[in-house]
Amino acid sequence: MRYLPIFLDIQSKPCLVVGGGEVAARKVDLLHRAGGAVTVIAPELTPALQELHAKGHIHHLSRAFEDRDLEGGYHLVIAATNQPEINQRVSALAREHRLPVNVVDHPDDCSFIVPSIVDRSPVVVAVSTGGASPILARLIRARLESLIPSGYGRLADICARYRDRVKAKFRNPNDRRGFWEYILQGRVAERVFAGNLREADIVMENELAAAKPGGGMGEVYLVGGGPGDPDLLTFRALRLMQQADVVVYDRLVAKAILALARRDAQYIYVGKERDNHAMRQEDINALLAQLARQGKRVVRLKGGDPFIFGRGGEEIDTLMAEGVPFQVVPGITAAVGCAAYAGIPLTHRDHAQSVTFVTGHLKDGTINLNWKQLAEPNQTVVFYMGLVGLPIIVDKLIEHGVPAEMPIALVQQGTTPMQRVFSGTLGTILEVVEHEKPKPPTLIIVGESVSLRHKLGWFEAPSRSEEGPIQTIGDQP
Ligand code: SAH
């Protein structure tokens, strides 16, 4: 993050704007709306500024800027003249005085930049692109404008008015949060948005009188986080992640996805690496139930889809037995995500009429699968957790009649900026692996349609080093 976002209290504080043109007028308006005591220094003012001055809303010094102007006890300074030398001079002097200064459209001369804002006072959303593109910031703002109903300001007023009473009634912060979330998404909010403020107050009083603190059972959300690209999350996954009190996650969940969960949630890592389980499955099951019984909303975040090689079934089995409410949110499973991002259609009219997902996980040094069926033609077979067992997979397929020329692809860290695809045939792939040394998580795809990837591949992983590696993922569920 290049800039620290903060909201500054300038109520009745002296603020200086150097310049009296259109650009200056916009900044004066902003400072004035935030309650600042604005002085404008400029030989001339636009009609809008003249009017503000005539109404006594701003102070005007009708002359050019002088160095000593910065000694006037201002809390912040904005330079908005059309003369770059003056703006730069103001900036340099302000910095000498350790005064926050902004030169409009010149980030290099600024000690602070002014964001694009969505004003639903007291709710204010500020958007910055770090000075890179004010136009992009404005486009983002326009989207937010349409997302945030104008009633949100009034809703915030209600929160402010009831804050102390709600706090007195609900001592426990979890109970309090639960109550507010219920209010802000329920009948009170609906009445505010409809403009019925009096009714909203009545409903609020009733809700407050009826609510019982404590004793609530929480809930577990078994959420599929997808294969790595955060854009592939579902809306529901995102919403639940942003409401969670606790996020229980394992190695398969990419950092970029974890970063979207509620910031002040508690994060519990129960990672699973090959042969190095941070927490036993039974303990994870028990932990989820225990957290929910404490009244918490628990997101159990899993890579891909929770029901595909994710042991999701076992986890909700325990919850079911213990009477803990839960929901399951599907995610894009690795096979679907990796195939799409590698340009490999899993089914295809000419090459594959079916697709099979199997685990290539070794048990006692072997893989116990129905090889005869997997060797049938005209299908795509996807192996999860198959990297370690690849030599056995290759052997068994060939032994059961798959030609050595059958295309095969290994997709490493699919859908992420680190995605790599290694391909060959059953006959050559072990050599490729020896040379390229793919790392987990890697998905293996076998079938004719793998060869289409040379024509259909579209996703070019930027593999930018500043992204850092995504958390590497165990080769086991
Ligand atoms: N529930 C998960 C799968 C868990 S098993 C899902 O639905 O995707 C773990 C295996 O999934 C890994 O060993 C690897 O084979 C595969 N996998 C998961 N994410 C992957 C990714 N981003 N790229 C490649 N393979 C991945």
Side-chain angles (χ1 to χ4, degrees), residues 227 252 303-305 308-309 333-334 338 384-385 411 413-414 441-443 474-475:
L252 205 56
D305 180 89
I308 295 193
F309 306 123
T333 189
C338 294
Y384 287 70
M385 298 165 281
V411 186
Q413 295 184 331
T442 290
L443 190 86
D475 205 32

Side-chain angles (χ1 to χ4, degrees), residues 106-117:
H106 284 268
D108 288 348
D109 292 325
C110 294
S111 68
F112 72 92
I113 55 178
V114 182
S116 275
I117 60 173

Side-chain angles (χ1 to χ4, degrees), residues 88-220:
Q88 267 167 17
R89 179 80 191 142
V90 173
S91 166
L93 284 170
R95 282 156 188 253
E96 259 173 43
H97 287 82
R98 302 273 192 278
L99 266 176
V101 63
N102 174 273
V103 178
V104 178
D105 286 342
H106 284 268
D108 288 348
D109 292 325
C110 294
S111 68
F112 72 92
I113 55 178
V114 182
S116 275
I117 60 173
V118 180
D119 186 1
R120 302 276 189 269
S121 286
V123 176
V124 175
V125 182
V127 178
S128 155
T129 57
S133 167
I135 301 194
L136 180 60
R138 243 177 281 146
L139 290 176
I140 296 172
R141 190 198 68 187
R143 294 188 66 174
L144 291 174
E145 289 275 5
S146 61
L147 276 179
I148 304 174
S150 55
Y152 266 62
R154 294 194 291 270
L155 201 53
D157 285 336
I158 291 201
C159 298
R161 264 192 292 123
Y162 281 89
R163 200 181 141 135
D164 290 343
R165 286 173 61 197
V166 171
K167 200 165 179 177
K169 175 144 191 179
F170 301 94
R171 294 275 158 83
N172 179 317
N174 272 337
D175 289 349
R176 204 153 62 226
R177 191 181 316 119
F179 178 75
W180 275 126
E181 275 172 5
Y182 168 68
I183 291 298
L184 293 177
Q185 297 174 66
R187 295 192 300 149
V188 172
E190 286 314 322
R191 279 168 180 68
V192 171
F193 294 151
N196 289 331
L197 297 189
R198 260 170 34 133
E199 245 187 79
D201 258 333
I202 295 169
V203 178
M204 181 70 190
E205 288 291 349
N206 290 343
E207 298 282 18
L208 192 55
K212 282 194 211 62
M217 167 71 102
E219 199 171 356
V220 176

Side-chain angles (χ1 to χ4, degrees), residues 134-397:
I135 301 194
L136 180 60
R138 243 177 281 146
L139 290 176
I140 296 172
R141 190 198 68 187
R143 294 188 66 174
L144 291 174
E145 289 275 5
S146 61
L147 276 179
I148 304 174
S150 55
Y152 266 62
R154 294 194 291 270
L155 201 53
D157 285 336
I158 291 201
C159 298
R161 264 192 292 123
Y162 281 89
R163 200 181 141 135
D164 290 343
R165 286 173 61 197
V166 171
K167 200 165 179 177
K169 175 144 191 179
F170 301 94
R171 294 275 158 83
N172 179 317
N174 272 337
D175 289 349
R176 204 153 62 226
R177 191 181 316 119
F179 178 75
W180 275 126
E181 275 172 5
Y182 168 68
I183 291 298
L184 293 177
Q185 297 174 66
R187 295 192 300 149
V188 172
E190 286 314 322
R191 279 168 180 68
V192 171
F193 294 151
N196 289 331
L197 297 189
R198 260 170 34 133
E199 245 187 79
D201 258 333
I202 295 169
V203 178
M204 181 70 190
E205 288 291 349
N206 290 343
E207 298 282 18
L208 192 55
K212 282 194 211 62
M217 167 71 102
E219 199 171 356
V220 176
Y221 310 115
L222 187 59
V223 174
D229 182 347
D231 270 9
L232 297 179
L233 279 174
T234 61
F235 286 127
R236 183 182 295 177
L238 188 62
R239 197 170 61 240
L240 295 174
M241 282 163 64
Q242 290 184 343
Q243 289 174 9
D245 300 310
V246 189
V247 180
V248 179
Y249 68 102
D250 48 44
R251 279 183 83 83
L252 205 56
V253 176
K255 266 192 206 153
I257 288 175
L258 266 187
L260 295 173
R262 203 175 105 208
R263 208 167 276 223
D264 55 346
Q266 180 191 358
Y267 288 79
I268 302 178
Y269 173 66
V270 293
K272 288 173 193 165
E273 270 170 280
R274 200 178 158 72
D275 301 330
N276 178 17
H277 289 215
M279 198 185 266
R280 288 184 316 150
Q281 187 64 48
E282 305 85 86
D283 296 338
I284 298 176
N285 303 353
L287 174 72
L288 297 176
Q290 185 195 339
L291 290 166
R293 275 198 301 267
Q294 293 166 3
K296 303 210 166 107
R297 282 157 311 166
V298 185
V299 162
R300 170 66 174 119
L301 189 56
K302 293 184 155 285
D305 180 89
F307 279 3
I308 295 193
F309 306 123
R311 303 184 78 164
E314 295 167 47
E315 290 178 10
I316 59 172
D317 201 28
T318 307
L319 299 177
M320 189 68 104
E322 304 216 2
V324 175
F326 64 85
Q327 288 181 36
V328 183
V329 183
I332 291 191
T333 189
V336 171
C338 294
Y341 279 52
I344 301 170
L346 290 176
T347 67
H348 190 284
R349 277 206 301 181
D350 302 330
H351 305 291
Q353 277 73 52
S354 71
V355 53
T356 307
F357 298 168
V358 289
T359 162
H361 171 48
L362 287 177
K363 223 179 200 166
D364 307 325
T366 61
I367 311 174
N368 192 10
L369 291 171
N370 184 346
W371 293 106
K372 191 165 158 296
Q373 184 198 333
L374 298 179
E376 294 285 336
N378 300 319
Q379 64 168 331
T380 308
V381 182
V382 181
F383 292 89
Y384 287 70
M385 298 165 281
L387 191 52
V388 174
L390 184 64
I392 300 182
I393 293 173
V394 168
D395 258 11
K396 288 283 180 192
L397 288 177

